[in-house]
Amino acid sequence: MSDPQQAPLRHGLKRQFSRFVGVGVVNSVATFVLYQMLLLAMPYWLAFTLSFAAGLVFGMIAGARLVFGRKINLVSAASFSAYYVFSYALSLLILMVVVDRLQISARLAPLIVIAIMVPLNFLGSRYALSLRSQPRDAGER
């Protein structure tokens, strides 16, 4: 039996996750396109690094405001950035394994990285953006 008091929490998490996925899709498409363009002029690891940095900025702003309904402060921005440095390192490691060891095209490999990292990034973002940040005013939504 499910606890009726848990239902609003589950609904809120589902809504947040849906928004996270929506923002993530926009972010992923934009960073993937940027990656593809940069790949024409530089090695895959540098193209990935630069497109990841652009996605980090967009993700922090959109994640805080649209997904988690939070205002960004110094602590949450630092925590979010620190988490995504870890996420970047793990993503780059996965990318390198997929390209260099599994011999999957560098053009397609980021799609595998995205599929692996989405659930981890949802949890990490949710936690980081909740640190010492305040919910946005209901009137701002």
Side-chain angles (χ1 to χ4, degrees):
M1 257 190 186
S2 64
D3 182 358
Q5 293 177 349
Q6 294 286 339
L9 177 61
R10 281 193 306 274
H11 180 68
L13 284 175
K14 287 179 185 177
R15 186 172 48 241
Q16 279 184 346
F17 189 75
S18 295
R19 287 181 185 167
F20 180 82
V21 170
V23 166
V25 166
V26 171
N27 195 8
S28 295
V29 168
T31 56
F32 188 71
V33 168
L34 180 61
Y35 170 79
Q36 295 297 324
M37 292 181 347
L38 293 172
L39 202 52
L40 298 172
M42 59 189 66
Y44 76 87
W45 59 268
L46 183 56
F48 184 78
T49 300
L50 294 176
S51 62
F52 190 93
L56 174 69
V57 172
F58 175 80
M60 181 171 31
I61 294 166
R65 296 189 59 81
L66 301 174
V67 176
F68 302 111
R70 302 297 229 178
K71 292 181 180 180
I72 299 171
N73 63 37
L74 187 57
V75 172
S76 63
S79 298
F80 185 88
S81 297
Y83 171 76
Y84 272 93
V85 166
F86 164 76
S87 176
Y88 163 76
L90 183 57
S91 297
L92 184 59
L93 176 65
I94 294 167
L95 179 71
M96 293 173 83
V97 166
V98 169
V99 171
D100 297 335
R101 299 279 187 198
L102 301 179
Q103 300 294 305
I104 293 175
S105 164
R107 294 210 175 270
L108 298 176
L111 299 175
I112 295 168
V113 175
I114 290 165
I116 293 169
M117 294 304 296
V118 164
L120 296 175
N121 289 339
F122 172 72
L123 296 172
S125 298
R126 188 170 193 272
Y127 176 74
L129 290 172
S130 71
L131 294 175
R132 298 174 94 197
S133 66
Q134 300 296 317
R136 292 183 357 197
D137 283 354
E140 287 184 50
R141 292 183 191 214

PDB file of all heavy atoms in Angstrom, residues 71-83:
ATOM      1  N   LYS A  71      16.042  30.446  -6.705  1.00  0.00           N
ATOM      2  CA  LYS A  71      16.925  31.535  -7.076  1.00  0.00           C
ATOM      3  C   LYS A  71      18.351  31.038  -6.866  1.00  0.00           C
ATOM      4  O   LYS A  71      18.639  30.358  -5.885  1.00  0.00           O
ATOM      5  CB  LYS A  71      16.679  32.758  -6.203  1.00  0.00           C
ATOM      6  CG  LYS A  71      15.341  33.409  -6.436  1.00  0.00           C
ATOM      7  CD  LYS A  71      15.192  34.630  -5.544  1.00  0.00           C
ATOM      8  CE  LYS A  71      13.848  35.295  -5.769  1.00  0.00           C
ATOM      9  NZ  LYS A  71      13.677  36.476  -4.919  1.00  0.00           N
ATOM     10  N   ILE A  72      19.216  31.397  -7.770  1.00  0.00           N
ATOM     11  CA  ILE A  72      20.617  30.996  -7.640  1.00  0.00           C
ATOM     12  C   ILE A  72      21.310  31.947  -6.673  1.00  0.00           C
ATOM     13  O   ILE A  72      21.138  33.149  -6.748  1.00  0.00           O
ATOM     14  CB  ILE A  72      21.316  31.036  -9.009  1.00  0.00           C
ATOM     15  CG1 ILE A  72      20.644  30.065  -9.981  1.00  0.00           C
ATOM     16  CG2 ILE A  72      22.788  30.693  -8.869  1.00  0.00           C
ATOM     17  CD1 ILE A  72      21.135  30.200 -11.400  1.00  0.00           C
ATOM     18  N   ASN A  73      22.077  31.379  -5.756  1.00  0.00           N
ATOM     19  CA  ASN A  73      22.923  32.185  -4.886  1.00  0.00           C
ATOM     20  C   ASN A  73      24.349  31.668  -5.010  1.00  0.00           C
ATOM     21  O   ASN A  73      24.606  30.716  -5.749  1.00  0.00           O
ATOM     22  CB  ASN A  73      22.417  32.162  -3.431  1.00  0.00           C
ATOM     23  CG  ASN A  73      22.463  30.776  -2.836  1.00  0.00           C
ATOM     24  OD1 ASN A  73      23.365  29.990  -3.094  1.00  0.00           O
ATOM     25  ND2 ASN A  73      21.471  30.438  -2.029  1.00  0.00           N
ATOM     26  N   LEU A  74      25.255  32.275  -4.323  1.00  0.00           N
ATOM     27  CA  LEU A  74      26.659  31.909  -4.446  1.00  0.00           C
ATOM     28  C   LEU A  74      26.905  30.445  -4.066  1.00  0.00           C
ATOM     29  O   LEU A  74      27.626  29.729  -4.763  1.00  0.00           O
ATOM     30  CB  LEU A  74      27.518  32.835  -3.579  1.00  0.00           C
ATOM     31  CG  LEU A  74      29.025  32.688  -3.723  1.00  0.00           C
ATOM     32  CD1 LEU A  74      29.460  32.903  -5.157  1.00  0.00           C
ATOM     33  CD2 LEU A  74      29.727  33.660  -2.806  1.00  0.00           C
ATOM     34  N   VAL A  75      26.292  29.995  -2.985  1.00  0.00           N
ATOM     35  CA  VAL A  75      26.499  28.615  -2.525  1.00  0.00           C
ATOM     36  C   VAL A  75      25.918  27.617  -3.522  1.00  0.00           C
ATOM     37  O   VAL A  75      26.583  26.647  -3.897  1.00  0.00           O
ATOM     38  CB  VAL A  75      25.892  28.397  -1.117  1.00  0.00           C
ATOM     39  CG1 VAL A  75      25.936  26.925  -0.724  1.00  0.00           C
ATOM     40  CG2 VAL A  75      26.630  29.236  -0.092  1.00  0.00           C
ATOM     41  N   SER A  76      24.683  27.853  -3.972  1.00  0.00           N
ATOM     42  CA  SER A  76      24.085  26.903  -4.908  1.00  0.00           C
ATOM     43  C   SER A  76      24.800  26.925  -6.256  1.00  0.00           C
ATOM     44  O   SER A  76      24.993  25.880  -6.879  1.00  0.00           O
ATOM     45  CB  SER A  76      22.580  27.147  -5.071  1.00  0.00           C
ATOM     46  OG  SER A  76      22.310  28.416  -5.617  1.00  0.00           O
ATOM     47  N   ALA A  77      25.244  28.104  -6.713  1.00  0.00           N
ATOM     48  CA  ALA A  77      25.980  28.186  -7.981  1.00  0.00           C
ATOM     49  C   ALA A  77      27.317  27.456  -7.867  1.00  0.00           C
ATOM     50  O   ALA A  77      27.706  26.715  -8.779  1.00  0.00           O
ATOM     51  CB  ALA A  77      26.202  29.643  -8.374  1.00  0.00           C
ATOM     52  N   ALA A  78      28.001  27.645  -6.741  1.00  0.00           N
ATOM     53  CA  ALA A  78      29.283  26.955  -6.534  1.00  0.00           C
ATOM     54  C   ALA A  78      29.072  25.445  -6.429  1.00  0.00           C
ATOM     55  O   ALA A  78      29.840  24.664  -7.005  1.00  0.00           O
ATOM     56  CB  ALA A  78      29.972  27.493  -5.286  1.00  0.00           C
ATOM     57  N   SER A  79      28.037  25.025  -5.712  1.00  0.00           N
ATOM     58  CA  SER A  79      27.750  23.596  -5.566  1.00  0.00           C
ATOM     59  C   SER A  79      27.370  22.974  -6.907  1.00  0.00           C
ATOM     60  O   SER A  79      27.825  21.886  -7.245  1.00  0.00           O
ATOM     61  CB  SER A  79      26.612  23.382  -4.569  1.00  0.00           C
ATOM     62  OG  SER A  79      26.976  23.862  -3.316  1.00  0.00           O
ATOM     63  N   PHE A  80      26.517  23.676  -7.656  1.00  0.00           N
ATOM     64  CA  PHE A  80      26.101  23.205  -8.967  1.00  0.00           C
ATOM     65  C   PHE A  80      27.320  23.065  -9.875  1.00  0.00           C
ATOM     66  O   PHE A  80      27.507  22.037 -10.532  1.00  0.00           O
ATOM     67  CB  PHE A  80      25.091  24.185  -9.571  1.00  0.00           C
ATOM     68  CG  PHE A  80      24.501  23.745 -10.876  1.00  0.00           C
ATOM     69  CD1 PHE A  80      23.357  22.960 -10.902  1.00  0.00           C
ATOM     70  CD2 PHE A  80      25.064  24.123 -12.081  1.00  0.00           C
ATOM     71  CE1 PHE A  80      22.796  22.553 -12.110  1.00  0.00           C
ATOM     72  CE2 PHE A  80      24.523  23.724 -13.288  1.00  0.00           C
ATOM     73  CZ  PHE A  80      23.380  22.942 -13.309  1.00  0.00           C
ATOM     74  N   SER A  81      28.160  24.086  -9.893  1.00  0.00           N
ATOM     75  CA  SER A  81      29.359  24.052 -10.735  1.00  0.00           C
ATOM     76  C   SER A  81      30.303  22.938 -10.307  1.00  0.00           C
ATOM     77  O   SER A  81      30.859  22.234 -11.157  1.00  0.00           O
ATOM     78  CB  SER A  81      30.072  25.406 -10.692  1.00  0.00           C
ATOM     79  OG  SER A  81      29.233  26.408 -11.222  1.00  0.00           O
ATOM     80  N   ALA A  82      30.496  22.768  -9.000  1.00  0.00           N
ATOM     81  CA  ALA A  82      31.366  21.698  -8.503  1.00  0.00           C
ATOM     82  C   ALA A  82      30.822  20.328  -8.893  1.00  0.00           C
ATOM     83  O   ALA A  82      31.580  19.455  -9.327  1.00  0.00           O
ATOM     84  CB  ALA A  82      31.519  21.801  -6.989  1.00  0.00           C
ATOM     85  N   TYR A  83      29.503  20.150  -8.751  1.00  0.00           N
ATOM     86  CA  TYR A  83      28.925  18.878  -9.158  1.00  0.00           C
ATOM     87  C   TYR A  83      29.176  18.645 -10.642  1.00  0.00           C
ATOM     88  O   TYR A  83      29.548  17.553 -11.066  1.00  0.00           O
ATOM     89  CB  TYR A  83      27.414  18.798  -8.866  1.00  0.00           C
ATOM     90  CG  TYR A  83      26.844  17.563  -9.509  1.00  0.00           C
ATOM     91  CD1 TYR A  83      27.073  16.323  -8.938  1.00  0.00           C
ATOM     92  CD2 TYR A  83      26.196  17.611 -10.736  1.00  0.00           C
ATOM     93  CE1 TYR A  83      26.637  15.163  -9.559  1.00  0.00           C
ATOM     94  CE2 TYR A  83      25.759  16.460 -11.364  1.00  0.00           C
ATOM     95  CZ  TYR A  83      25.985  15.243 -10.777  1.00  0.00           C
ATOM     96  OH  TYR A  83      25.584  14.093 -11.402  1.00  0.00           O
TER      97      TYR A  83
END
